Amino acid sequence: MTELMLALDVLTRAEAMDIAEKTYPYIDAIKIGYPLVLGSGLSVARDLAEFDLPLIADFKVADIPNTNRLIAEHVFEAGFSGIITQGFTGRDSVSACVDVAHNAGGKCYVVTEMSHPGALDFMGEGVAERLAELAVECNADGIIAPATRPERVKALRQIIGSKKILSPGVGAQGGSAEEIAPLIDSMIVGRSIYNSEDPAKAAQSYSCVRDL
């Protein structure tokens, strides 16, 4: 079964808690990034912990190994269960995040190809494959691959085997839940849920696709 991950890219703690409260029965994990953390602080992770769901820090960490290590340590000390890092910074930087994650009992996912059109300027065919290979070599737990380009997900699956694929781009960016769900491990949906007039109903509709 493909998991449903809520991308909670809202600005305030109150909004995040409200959306999570409405949707948590239908989702399998929550992903938050800079918009919420810059507005509410890392401590928002402890508030969201009440829903007893895995919490992924989507910081797309991209720095030298020591800085990556320090960022990842803060993430896991705050109560997150996973972190997303960029792969283009190289083996040592990726390994720094992977090592901290695994030492904390958490998971690390490597971005191979993003879901927006501009990603193809630098992260398209060839580059994404090399980043997927790097994720495997560094023992990352999985990769980020675009729901907007299912054919690319299929190609990257051939490289990573049974490692997890988390796939953003469903809904607002045009990715089809029905098409991508059989190819991946976790379907990431954000605006189509939290901007809906009825977030619970929207989450439930995606959870039905997840269960196909």
Side-chain angles (χ1 to χ4, degrees):
M1 182 182 72
T2 303
E3 294 184 345
L4 175 60
M5 182 179 296
L6 173 63
L8 204 49
D9 297 322
V10 296
L11 298 178
T12 69
R13 186 184 306 259
E15 188 176 5
M17 295 300 290
D18 178 60
I19 299 297
E21 175 69 36
K22 292 173 178 175
T23 60
Y24 83 90
Y26 309 108
I27 62 177
D28 302 291
I30 295 173
K31 178 178 76 72
I32 67 173
Y34 288 118
L36 180 57
V37 169
L38 290 175
S40 302
L42 277 173
S43 62
V44 71
R46 304 205 183 277
D47 295 333
L48 290 167
E50 74 174 67
F51 301 107
D52 197 28
L53 293 169
L55 186 62
I56 309 300
D58 184 10
F59 293 167
K60 296 183 179 68
V61 185
D63 217 306
I64 64 170
N66 186 62
T67 302
N68 277 13
R69 176 182 61 80
L70 294 172
I71 293 170
E73 286 175 351
H74 278 298
V75 163
F76 288 102
E77 287 168 2
F80 287 85
S81 50
I83 190 169
I84 295 173
T85 185
Q86 291 283 8
F88 64 76
T89 49
R91 180 188 313 275
D92 50 357
S93 290
V94 171
S95 291
C97 286
V98 171
D99 290 347
V100 172
H102 290 176
N103 287 338
K107 299 184 184 300
C108 180
Y109 304 96
V110 177
V111 177
T112 58
E113 187 174 317
M114 297 173 71
S115 52
H116 63 296
L120 296 179
D121 290 345
F122 295 102
M123 301 179 77
E125 187 171 350
V127 174
E129 281 82 351
R130 181 65 191 100
L131 294 174
E133 292 170 356
L134 182 65
V136 173
E137 293 164 7
C138 292
N139 197 32
D141 298 279
I143 64 169
I144 308 300
T148 49
R149 292 184 285 277
E151 74 284 355
R152 300 292 300 129
V153 173
K154 292 178 183 178
L156 295 170
R157 171 64 79 191
Q158 295 301 309
I159 296 171
I160 67 162
S162 61
K163 289 186 180 292
K164 303 291 187 183
I165 296 181
L166 281 56
S167 197
V170 171
Q173 292 189 62
S176 165
E178 292 81 1
E179 186 175 4
I180 201 64
L183 306 177
I184 60 172
D185 300 281
S186 187
M187 176 171 58
I188 302 172
V189 185
R191 284 172 285 174
S192 293
I193 293 177
Y194 65 72
N195 282 340
S196 170
E197 291 184 3
D198 189 340
K201 184 177 180 180
Q204 184 178 27
S205 70
Y206 280 108
S207 72
C208 291
V209 174
R210 170 199 66 183
D211 294 336
L212 292 177

